[in-house]
Amino acid sequence: MATTTESAVSSADRRGKPAPAQRLLDTATTLFARHGIRAVGIDRVLAESGVARASLYSSYGSKDGLVIAYLEHLDRRDRARWNEAVAEVADPADRILAFFDLALASAPDRGFRGCQYANAATEFPDEALAPVIEHRRWMLDTLTELLRARGAADAVVLARRIRLIYDGALAGSKLDHDAEPLRLGRAIAAELIPPG
């Protein structure tokens, strides 16, 4: 699926309009984030993207394939946003806290929708969604590496704690419809990071 998505992202028709696969992905990303995956029927995605059903099948196979492409897209986008945010940040502690800073910057604009990966996992409780698992693994590995660089004695355990605080901060922000849980989560995480 990643290959199909990547080719869809890079291709466009000759008039400069995004290719049908890209329009489907863009529309699905907006609708799924705003309304939830199961609440949005494929007919709505097709209508709002202006794409024929045949293009859905040839690009993604089904709505399930589009859901996976959407989650892969989120993962690539979020990794890129974090990498861009920390490109010139040397301190591992600041790089760790960048996860919270990015959430603080985007949560109000996104209507405090919480974690899109957690939202997807909630909607598909009986399925192990590979892009969700991969994103969480990347975050844990990144935190672990940064904590090792900071000299943490048990970096893996501490990384799991910080990721759990992050998860809780996102959930609290969604439930309270407020950024304060994210600010508090950031402060708690900062206290756990070993001094440099």
Side-chain angles (χ1 to χ4, degrees), residues 53-67:
R53 190 174 296 272
S55 291
L56 167 72
Y57 296 131
S58 66
S59 299
Y60 300 107
S62 65
K63 181 181 177 183
D64 288 346
L66 181 58
V67 168

Side-chain angles (χ1 to χ4, degrees), residues 75 79 82 96 98-100 115 117 132-147 159-160 162-167 170:
D75 180 38
R79 291 183 198 215
W82 183 84
I96 290 167
F99 285 105
F100 293 89
C115 176
Y117 305 100
V132 173
I133 293 166
E134 286 303 313
H135 182 79
R136 290 183 58 73
R137 183 176 298 129
W138 164 76
M139 184 177 186
L140 183 64
D141 291 347
T142 301
L143 291 170
T144 301
E145 178 183 318
L146 292 168
L147 287 163
R160 286 190 177 117
I162 290 173
R163 188 179 67 176
L164 182 62
I165 292 165
Y166 180 78
D167 291 342
L170 284 170

Side-chain angles (χ1 to χ4, degrees), residues 86-101:
V86 301
E88 299 191 20
V89 176
D91 185 356
D94 291 336
R95 293 170 72 93
I96 290 167
L97 296 175
F99 285 105
F100 293 89
D101 295 336

Side-chain angles (χ1 to χ4, degrees), residues 10-58:
S10 64
S11 67
D13 68 22
R14 291 193 175 111
R15 295 178 306 263
K17 187 176 184 182
Q22 184 62 49
R23 294 198 322 261
L24 283 166
L25 183 59
D26 291 345
T27 302
T29 297
T30 299
L31 293 174
F32 292 166
R34 184 175 300 146
H35 304 290
I37 297 168
R38 292 200 188 270
V40 175
I42 200 60
D43 289 337
R44 183 173 180 187
V45 174
L46 292 170
E48 293 196 22
S49 65
V51 172
R53 190 174 296 272
S55 291
L56 167 72
Y57 296 131
S58 66

